[in-house]
Each structure stands twice: as C-alpha cells, then as structure tokens.
Amino acid sequence: MTTKKKQSYSISELAAEFDITTRTIRFYEEKGLLNPSRNGQSRIYSPADRTKLRLILRGKRLGLSLEESRDVIEMYDPAHDHGNKKQIQTLIDKIRDKRQQLRHQLQDIEVLLQELDDAEARLTDAIKDKAS
C-alpha cells in the first residue's frame, strides 16, 4: 500500500507542523514568499508552499535575512535534474559570508570586552586611590 502525499495544507496545519504562529505565516505571505490559493476565506497551501516555508525557517535559523532566503528560494527549478547546483552553491556562499560576518562580530565583541575590563580596572583602582 503506497502512502499518498498530501496535496494541500491549511494555515493551522502548517503552523502546528513548524511550531510557528499563523500570524508568522501570514507575514511571509504578505512579503510575497508564500502564495496560497483561496477557498473562500480559507488559505490553501500547496506542497511547494510547505517546502518554501521550511526553507524560510531554515534560512532564519542560519541567520539569513528574508531577502537572502527569497533569493535562494527563487533559484529553485524543479525541472532541473542536476540538483539545482547553482541554488546550492549560492546557499553555501551565503553561509560562508554569514560565518565570516559572525567571526568579525565576535572579534569586535572580544575587543569591547577587553576595553570594558580595562575601564573597570582603572575605575576600581581610582576608587582605591581615593579611599587611601
């Protein structure tokens, strides 16, 4: 017996599956990242919308902006049998850029922490000098 893949999802199903709010999903829709069809007032999300949502959330966890996630998602072409090499390489490049940015921020934080330690030590010494 083969299991049929689900062909559509409600907003509440996606919210529950990804542990996010329906408001978050509507936000991504407003930004043009998701394009559900409608059945009256109800939003009907396709498997492609579900995949896009999963990629958006993955990009968020990796520290990508919504625009960066959009760029990667829009590169996807299901007609390619080559595994979307360009899309994957772009994501790798974005990950490397993000890693370098975080390393730079970490260096800046380490310098700032040292400056705070130095300032605190000088001020502590100044208090001791005034007390004696």
mmCIF file of all heavy atoms in Angstrom, residues 72-109:
data_model
loop_
_atom_site.group_PDB
_atom_site.id
_atom_site.type_symbol
_atom_site.label_atom_id
_atom_site.label_comp_id
_atom_site.label_asym_id
_atom_site.label_seq_id
_atom_site.Cartn_x
_atom_site.Cartn_y
_atom_site.Cartn_z
ATOM 1 N N VAL A 72 17.491 32.667 -2.605
ATOM 2 C CA VAL A 72 17.818 31.249 -2.728
ATOM 3 C C VAL A 72 16.585 30.459 -3.166
ATOM 4 O O VAL A 72 16.664 29.615 -4.061
ATOM 5 C CB VAL A 72 18.387 30.695 -1.406
ATOM 6 C CG1 VAL A 72 18.553 29.179 -1.467
ATOM 7 C CG2 VAL A 72 19.712 31.367 -1.076
ATOM 8 N N ILE A 73 15.448 30.736 -2.559
ATOM 9 C CA ILE A 73 14.216 30.002 -2.882
ATOM 10 C C ILE A 73 13.827 30.219 -4.338
ATOM 11 O O ILE A 73 13.437 29.282 -5.036
ATOM 12 C CB ILE A 73 13.078 30.416 -1.929
ATOM 13 C CG1 ILE A 73 13.361 29.888 -0.523
ATOM 14 C CG2 ILE A 73 11.727 29.919 -2.429
ATOM 15 C CD1 ILE A 73 12.488 30.496 0.560
ATOM 16 N N GLU A 74 13.950 31.452 -4.820
ATOM 17 C CA GLU A 74 13.549 31.752 -6.196
ATOM 18 C C GLU A 74 14.454 31.099 -7.233
ATOM 19 O O GLU A 74 14.084 30.979 -8.396
ATOM 20 C CB GLU A 74 13.486 33.262 -6.413
ATOM 21 C CG GLU A 74 12.291 33.889 -5.726
ATOM 22 C CD GLU A 74 12.209 35.397 -5.884
ATOM 23 O OE1 GLU A 74 13.173 36.010 -6.397
ATOM 24 O OE2 GLU A 74 11.180 35.958 -5.482
ATOM 25 N N MET A 75 15.625 30.655 -6.819
ATOM 26 C CA MET A 75 16.535 29.974 -7.739
ATOM 27 C C MET A 75 16.119 28.529 -8.001
ATOM 28 O O MET A 75 16.560 27.917 -8.967
ATOM 29 C CB MET A 75 17.962 29.985 -7.175
ATOM 30 C CG MET A 75 18.564 31.359 -7.091
ATOM 31 S SD MET A 75 20.200 31.289 -6.347
ATOM 32 C CE MET A 75 21.145 30.727 -7.753
ATOM 33 N N TYR A 76 15.253 27.998 -7.139
ATOM 34 C CA TYR A 76 14.862 26.592 -7.268
ATOM 35 C C TYR A 76 14.087 26.377 -8.559
ATOM 36 O O TYR A 76 13.169 27.115 -8.888
ATOM 37 C CB TYR A 76 14.017 26.155 -6.072
ATOM 38 C CG TYR A 76 13.557 24.716 -6.192
ATOM 39 C CD1 TYR A 76 14.468 23.686 -6.053
ATOM 40 C CD2 TYR A 76 12.233 24.411 -6.450
ATOM 41 C CE1 TYR A 76 14.074 22.366 -6.168
ATOM 42 C CE2 TYR A 76 11.826 23.095 -6.558
ATOM 43 C CZ TYR A 76 12.744 22.076 -6.426
ATOM 44 O OH TYR A 76 12.342 20.781 -6.554
ATOM 45 N N ASP A 77 14.488 25.346 -9.269
ATOM 46 C CA ASP A 77 13.805 24.996 -10.515
ATOM 47 C C ASP A 77 13.580 23.493 -10.512
ATOM 48 O O ASP A 77 14.515 22.720 -10.727
ATOM 49 C CB ASP A 77 14.647 25.411 -11.713
ATOM 50 C CG ASP A 77 13.966 25.106 -13.037
ATOM 51 O OD1 ASP A 77 12.834 24.567 -13.037
ATOM 52 O OD2 ASP A 77 14.565 25.410 -14.082
ATOM 53 N N PRO A 78 12.339 23.059 -10.238
ATOM 54 C CA PRO A 78 12.079 21.620 -10.154
ATOM 55 C C PRO A 78 12.322 20.893 -11.475
ATOM 56 O O PRO A 78 12.444 19.678 -11.503
ATOM 57 C CB PRO A 78 10.611 21.533 -9.733
ATOM 58 C CG PRO A 78 10.028 22.868 -9.971
ATOM 59 C CD PRO A 78 11.155 23.858 -9.981
ATOM 60 N N ALA A 79 12.437 21.628 -12.587
ATOM 61 C CA ALA A 79 12.677 21.000 -13.875
ATOM 62 C C ALA A 79 14.126 20.530 -14.021
ATOM 63 O O ALA A 79 14.444 19.735 -14.890
ATOM 64 C CB ALA A 79 12.342 21.974 -15.005
ATOM 65 N N HIS A 80 15.004 21.038 -13.157
ATOM 66 C CA HIS A 80 16.417 20.643 -13.217
ATOM 67 C C HIS A 80 16.624 19.287 -12.565
ATOM 68 O O HIS A 80 16.210 19.075 -11.440
ATOM 69 C CB HIS A 80 17.308 21.677 -12.505
ATOM 70 C CG HIS A 80 17.766 22.764 -13.386
ATOM 71 N ND1 HIS A 80 17.025 23.899 -13.602
ATOM 72 C CD2 HIS A 80 18.898 22.890 -14.124
ATOM 73 C CE1 HIS A 80 17.686 24.679 -14.422
ATOM 74 N NE2 HIS A 80 18.818 24.101 -14.755
ATOM 75 N N ASP A 81 17.267 18.407 -13.282
ATOM 76 C CA ASP A 81 17.630 17.111 -12.716
ATOM 77 C C ASP A 81 19.011 17.172 -12.074
ATOM 78 O O ASP A 81 19.476 16.201 -11.517
ATOM 79 C CB ASP A 81 17.632 16.028 -13.803
ATOM 80 C CG ASP A 81 16.228 15.725 -14.308
ATOM 81 O OD1 ASP A 81 15.264 15.927 -13.548
ATOM 82 O OD2 ASP A 81 16.112 15.279 -15.463
ATOM 83 N N HIS A 82 19.685 18.315 -12.156
ATOM 84 C CA HIS A 82 21.061 18.445 -11.691
ATOM 85 C C HIS A 82 21.131 18.803 -10.217
ATOM 86 O O HIS A 82 22.184 19.147 -9.726
ATOM 87 C CB HIS A 82 21.794 19.507 -12.491
ATOM 88 C CG HIS A 82 21.779 19.282 -13.975
ATOM 89 N ND1 HIS A 82 20.893 18.471 -14.626
ATOM 90 C CD2 HIS A 82 22.566 19.781 -14.945
ATOM 91 C CE1 HIS A 82 21.127 18.477 -15.913
ATOM 92 N NE2 HIS A 82 22.131 19.270 -16.138
ATOM 93 N N GLY A 83 20.029 18.740 -9.493
ATOM 94 C CA GLY A 83 20.047 19.028 -8.073
ATOM 95 C C GLY A 83 20.158 20.506 -7.760
ATOM 96 O O GLY A 83 20.534 20.875 -6.670
ATOM 97 N N ASN A 84 19.853 21.346 -8.740
ATOM 98 C CA ASN A 84 19.899 22.794 -8.521
ATOM 99 C C ASN A 84 21.236 23.235 -7.940
ATOM 100 O O ASN A 84 21.313 23.883 -6.899
ATOM 101 C CB ASN A 84 18.725 23.243 -7.653
ATOM 102 C CG ASN A 84 17.437 23.204 -8.442
ATOM 103 O OD1 ASN A 84 17.238 24.013 -9.332
ATOM 104 N ND2 ASN A 84 16.595 22.244 -8.140
ATOM 105 N N LYS A 85 22.287 22.880 -8.640
ATOM 106 C CA LYS A 85 23.654 23.162 -8.196
ATOM 107 C C LYS A 85 23.870 24.647 -7.930
ATOM 108 O O LYS A 85 24.496 25.014 -6.940
ATOM 109 C CB LYS A 85 24.646 22.660 -9.241
ATOM 110 C CG LYS A 85 26.081 22.798 -8.832
ATOM 111 C CD LYS A 85 27.001 22.208 -9.875
ATOM 112 C CE LYS A 85 28.445 22.399 -9.461
ATOM 113 N NZ LYS A 85 29.360 21.845 -10.450
ATOM 114 N N LYS A 86 23.344 25.509 -8.789
ATOM 115 C CA LYS A 86 23.529 26.953 -8.603
ATOM 116 C C LYS A 86 22.868 27.419 -7.302
ATOM 117 O O LYS A 86 23.430 28.212 -6.557
ATOM 118 C CB LYS A 86 22.963 27.725 -9.797
ATOM 119 C CG LYS A 86 23.220 29.215 -9.712
ATOM 120 C CD LYS A 86 22.719 29.951 -10.947
ATOM 121 C CE LYS A 86 22.964 31.435 -10.776
ATOM 122 N NZ LYS A 86 22.407 32.208 -11.872
ATOM 123 N N GLN A 87 21.680 26.917 -7.016
ATOM 124 C CA GLN A 87 20.973 27.267 -5.785
ATOM 125 C C GLN A 87 21.773 26.804 -4.569
ATOM 126 O O GLN A 87 21.956 27.556 -3.606
ATOM 127 C CB GLN A 87 19.583 26.627 -5.773
ATOM 128 C CG GLN A 87 18.797 26.963 -4.518
ATOM 129 C CD GLN A 87 17.552 26.105 -4.354
ATOM 130 O OE1 GLN A 87 17.564 24.926 -4.715
ATOM 131 N NE2 GLN A 87 16.503 26.683 -3.809
ATOM 132 N N ILE A 88 22.268 25.597 -4.627
ATOM 133 C CA ILE A 88 23.030 25.053 -3.508
ATOM 134 C C ILE A 88 24.319 25.840 -3.316
ATOM 135 O O ILE A 88 24.687 26.177 -2.189
ATOM 136 C CB ILE A 88 23.306 23.544 -3.730
ATOM 137 C CG1 ILE A 88 21.980 22.765 -3.648
ATOM 138 C CG2 ILE A 88 24.318 23.016 -2.717
ATOM 139 C CD1 ILE A 88 22.074 21.336 -4.139
ATOM 140 N N GLN A 89 25.003 26.169 -4.415
ATOM 141 C CA GLN A 89 26.246 26.928 -4.300
ATOM 142 C C GLN A 89 25.982 28.320 -3.737
ATOM 143 O O GLN A 89 26.751 28.824 -2.916
ATOM 144 C CB GLN A 89 26.951 27.038 -5.658
ATOM 145 C CG GLN A 89 28.313 27.693 -5.559
ATOM 146 C CD GLN A 89 29.262 26.942 -4.650
ATOM 147 O OE1 GLN A 89 29.504 25.752 -4.826
ATOM 148 N NE2 GLN A 89 29.815 27.622 -3.653
ATOM 149 N N THR A 90 24.878 28.938 -4.134
ATOM 150 C CA THR A 90 24.524 30.254 -3.600
ATOM 151 C C THR A 90 24.291 30.168 -2.097
ATOM 152 O O THR A 90 24.740 31.028 -1.339
ATOM 153 C CB THR A 90 23.271 30.808 -4.307
ATOM 154 O OG1 THR A 90 23.569 30.966 -5.701
ATOM 155 C CG2 THR A 90 22.837 32.134 -3.726
ATOM 156 N N LEU A 91 23.600 29.124 -1.657
ATOM 157 C CA LEU A 91 23.361 28.948 -0.227
ATOM 158 C C LEU A 91 24.676 28.717 0.515
ATOM 159 O O LEU A 91 24.893 29.294 1.586
ATOM 160 C CB LEU A 91 22.384 27.799 0.020
ATOM 161 C CG LEU A 91 21.976 27.572 1.475
ATOM 162 C CD1 LEU A 91 21.419 28.852 2.107
ATOM 163 C CD2 LEU A 91 20.960 26.454 1.568
ATOM 164 N N ILE A 92 25.564 27.925 -0.054
ATOM 165 C CA ILE A 92 26.886 27.711 0.559
ATOM 166 C C ILE A 92 27.616 29.041 0.682
ATOM 167 O O ILE A 92 28.199 29.348 1.730
ATOM 168 C CB ILE A 92 27.718 26.699 -0.261
ATOM 169 C CG1 ILE A 92 27.132 25.297 -0.104
ATOM 170 C CG2 ILE A 92 29.189 26.730 0.162
ATOM 171 C CD1 ILE A 92 27.705 24.271 -1.075
ATOM 172 N N ASP A 93 27.574 29.859 -0.375
ATOM 173 C CA ASP A 93 28.240 31.164 -0.334
ATOM 174 C C ASP A 93 27.643 32.062 0.744
ATOM 175 O O ASP A 93 28.370 32.746 1.469
ATOM 176 C CB ASP A 93 28.148 31.859 -1.700
ATOM 177 C CG ASP A 93 28.945 31.147 -2.783
ATOM 178 O OD1 ASP A 93 29.823 30.314 -2.445
ATOM 179 O OD2 ASP A 93 28.676 31.414 -3.975
ATOM 180 N N LYS A 94 26.329 32.044 0.884
ATOM 181 C CA LYS A 94 25.667 32.854 1.907
ATOM 182 C C LYS A 94 26.046 32.367 3.313
ATOM 183 O O LYS A 94 26.250 33.171 4.215
ATOM 184 C CB LYS A 94 24.157 32.856 1.707
ATOM 185 C CG LYS A 94 23.730 33.671 0.498
ATOM 186 C CD LYS A 94 22.238 33.774 0.366
ATOM 187 C CE LYS A 94 21.827 34.551 -0.869
ATOM 188 N NZ LYS A 94 22.256 35.923 -0.900
ATOM 189 N N ILE A 95 26.140 31.063 3.474
ATOM 190 C CA ILE A 95 26.555 30.503 4.762
ATOM 191 C C ILE A 95 27.987 30.938 5.087
ATOM 192 O O ILE A 95 28.282 31.347 6.213
ATOM 193 C CB ILE A 95 26.426 28.964 4.757
ATOM 194 C CG1 ILE A 95 24.942 28.566 4.801
ATOM 195 C CG2 ILE A 95 27.197 28.329 5.920
ATOM 196 C CD1 ILE A 95 24.677 27.095 4.543
ATOM 197 N N ARG A 96 28.857 30.878 4.105
ATOM 198 C CA ARG A 96 30.249 31.292 4.325
ATOM 199 C C ARG A 96 30.331 32.779 4.658
ATOM 200 O O ARG A 96 31.091 33.178 5.548
ATOM 201 C CB ARG A 96 31.098 30.960 3.102
ATOM 202 C CG ARG A 96 31.343 29.467 2.968
ATOM 203 C CD ARG A 96 32.102 29.116 1.726
ATOM 204 N NE ARG A 96 32.332 27.679 1.688
ATOM 205 C CZ ARG A 96 32.647 27.013 0.588
ATOM 206 N NH1 ARG A 96 32.806 27.657 -0.562
ATOM 207 N NH2 ARG A 96 32.837 25.709 0.633
ATOM 208 N N ASP A 97 29.552 33.582 3.942
ATOM 209 C CA ASP A 97 29.516 35.025 4.237
ATOM 210 C C ASP A 97 29.020 35.281 5.655
ATOM 211 O O ASP A 97 29.570 36.108 6.384
ATOM 212 C CB ASP A 97 28.612 35.771 3.247
ATOM 213 C CG ASP A 97 29.195 35.844 1.841
ATOM 214 O OD1 ASP A 97 30.410 35.570 1.676
ATOM 215 O OD2 ASP A 97 28.423 36.169 0.915
ATOM 216 N N LYS A 98 27.968 34.576 6.047
ATOM 217 C CA LYS A 98 27.399 34.746 7.387
ATOM 218 C C LYS A 98 28.412 34.320 8.448
ATOM 219 O O LYS A 98 28.578 34.998 9.466
ATOM 220 C CB LYS A 98 26.107 33.933 7.522
ATOM 221 C CG LYS A 98 25.412 34.052 8.849
ATOM 222 C CD LYS A 98 25.105 35.476 9.252
ATOM 223 C CE LYS A 98 23.979 36.069 8.466
ATOM 224 N NZ LYS A 98 23.560 37.387 8.980
ATOM 225 N N ARG A 99 29.113 33.217 8.203
ATOM 226 C CA ARG A 99 30.134 32.758 9.140
ATOM 227 C C ARG A 99 31.231 33.815 9.301
ATOM 228 O O ARG A 99 31.646 34.126 10.419
ATOM 229 C CB ARG A 99 30.740 31.439 8.666
ATOM 230 C CG ARG A 99 31.763 30.867 9.648
ATOM 231 C CD ARG A 99 32.404 29.576 9.160
ATOM 232 N NE ARG A 99 31.417 28.502 9.083
ATOM 233 C CZ ARG A 99 31.062 27.890 7.947
ATOM 234 N NH1 ARG A 99 31.591 28.244 6.795
ATOM 235 N NH2 ARG A 99 30.180 26.914 7.964
ATOM 236 N N GLN A 100 31.691 34.394 8.186
ATOM 237 C CA GLN A 100 32.732 35.420 8.242
ATOM 238 C C GLN A 100 32.226 36.655 8.990
ATOM 239 O O GLN A 100 32.956 37.233 9.799
ATOM 240 C CB GLN A 100 33.187 35.798 6.828
ATOM 241 C CG GLN A 100 34.339 36.763 6.806
ATOM 242 C CD GLN A 100 35.579 36.219 7.506
ATOM 243 O OE1 GLN A 100 35.865 35.032 7.490
ATOM 244 N NE2 GLN A 100 36.314 37.087 8.167
ATOM 245 N N GLN A 101 31.002 37.040 8.731
ATOM 246 C CA GLN A 101 30.409 38.187 9.426
ATOM 247 C C GLN A 101 30.357 37.926 10.935
ATOM 248 O O GLN A 101 30.699 38.801 11.735
ATOM 249 C CB GLN A 101 29.003 38.447 8.880
ATOM 250 C CG GLN A 101 28.270 39.568 9.577
ATOM 251 C CD GLN A 101 26.807 39.652 9.137
ATOM 252 O OE1 GLN A 101 26.277 38.767 8.488
ATOM 253 N NE2 GLN A 101 26.167 40.730 9.502
ATOM 254 N N LEU A 102 29.951 36.734 11.323
ATOM 255 C CA LEU A 102 29.874 36.392 12.748
ATOM 256 C C LEU A 102 31.260 36.356 13.390
ATOM 257 O O LEU A 102 31.423 36.792 14.533
ATOM 258 C CB LEU A 102 29.160 35.052 12.936
ATOM 259 C CG LEU A 102 27.654 35.076 12.663
ATOM 260 C CD1 LEU A 102 27.092 33.664 12.658
ATOM 261 C CD2 LEU A 102 26.925 35.953 13.657
ATOM 262 N N ARG A 103 32.244 35.865 12.657
ATOM 263 C CA ARG A 103 33.609 35.869 13.196
ATOM 264 C C ARG A 103 34.095 37.301 13.432
ATOM 265 O O ARG A 103 34.749 37.578 14.432
ATOM 266 C CB ARG A 103 34.555 35.128 12.257
ATOM 267 C CG ARG A 103 34.400 33.625 12.345
ATOM 268 C CD ARG A 103 35.435 32.901 11.521
ATOM 269 N NE ARG A 103 35.288 31.467 11.704
ATOM 270 C CZ ARG A 103 35.290 30.590 10.715
ATOM 271 N NH1 ARG A 103 35.466 30.990 9.475
ATOM 272 N NH2 ARG A 103 35.139 29.313 10.976
ATOM 273 N N HIS A 104 33.791 38.189 12.493
ATOM 274 C CA HIS A 104 34.172 39.591 12.645
ATOM 275 C C HIS A 104 33.464 40.211 13.854
ATOM 276 O O HIS A 104 34.079 40.928 14.647
ATOM 277 C CB HIS A 104 33.854 40.367 11.367
ATOM 278 C CG HIS A 104 34.292 41.785 11.404
ATOM 279 N ND1 HIS A 104 35.616 42.159 11.330
ATOM 280 C CD2 HIS A 104 33.587 42.936 11.544
ATOM 281 C CE1 HIS A 104 35.708 43.472 11.408
ATOM 282 N NE2 HIS A 104 34.490 43.970 11.541
ATOM 283 N N GLN A 105 32.167 39.920 13.992
ATOM 284 C CA GLN A 105 31.420 40.433 15.141
ATOM 285 C C GLN A 105 31.990 39.885 16.444
ATOM 286 O O GLN A 105 32.083 40.609 17.443
ATOM 287 C CB GLN A 105 29.938 40.071 15.026
ATOM 288 C CG GLN A 105 29.204 40.850 13.967
ATOM 289 C CD GLN A 105 27.768 40.379 13.798
ATOM 290 O OE1 GLN A 105 27.419 39.248 14.114
ATOM 291 N NE2 GLN A 105 26.930 41.254 13.274
ATOM 292 N N LEU A 106 32.398 38.624 16.439
ATOM 293 C CA LEU A 106 32.986 38.022 17.629
ATOM 294 C C LEU A 106 34.286 38.727 17.999
ATOM 295 O O LEU A 106 34.530 39.010 19.183
ATOM 296 C CB LEU A 106 33.224 36.531 17.407
ATOM 297 C CG LEU A 106 33.793 35.731 18.580
ATOM 298 C CD1 LEU A 106 32.895 35.839 19.810
ATOM 299 C CD2 LEU A 106 33.989 34.275 18.183
ATOM 300 N N GLN A 107 35.118 39.047 17.011
ATOM 301 C CA GLN A 107 36.348 39.794 17.284
ATOM 302 C C GLN A 107 36.021 41.159 17.875
ATOM 303 O O GLN A 107 36.671 41.597 18.831
ATOM 304 C CB GLN A 107 37.167 39.969 16.006
ATOM 305 C CG GLN A 107 37.831 38.701 15.527
ATOM 306 C CD GLN A 107 38.507 38.888 14.178
ATOM 307 O OE1 GLN A 107 38.118 39.734 13.379
ATOM 308 N NE2 GLN A 107 39.522 38.071 13.926
ATOM 309 N N ASP A 108 35.037 41.845 17.309
ATOM 310 C CA ASP A 108 34.628 43.149 17.832
ATOM 311 C C ASP A 108 34.156 43.033 19.279
ATOM 312 O O ASP A 108 34.483 43.878 20.120
ATOM 313 C CB ASP A 108 33.514 43.761 16.981
ATOM 314 C CG ASP A 108 33.978 44.191 15.599
ATOM 315 O OD1 ASP A 108 35.211 44.285 15.369
ATOM 316 O OD2 ASP A 108 33.108 44.440 14.731
ATOM 317 N N ILE A 109 33.410 41.990 19.576
ATOM 318 C CA ILE A 109 32.911 41.780 20.941
ATOM 319 C C ILE A 109 34.077 41.509 21.889
ATOM 320 O O ILE A 109 34.112 42.044 23.001
ATOM 321 C CB ILE A 109 31.881 40.624 20.974
ATOM 322 C CG1 ILE A 109 30.587 41.066 20.282
ATOM 323 C CG2 ILE A 109 31.602 40.167 22.404
ATOM 324 C CD1 ILE A 109 29.604 39.940 20.003
#
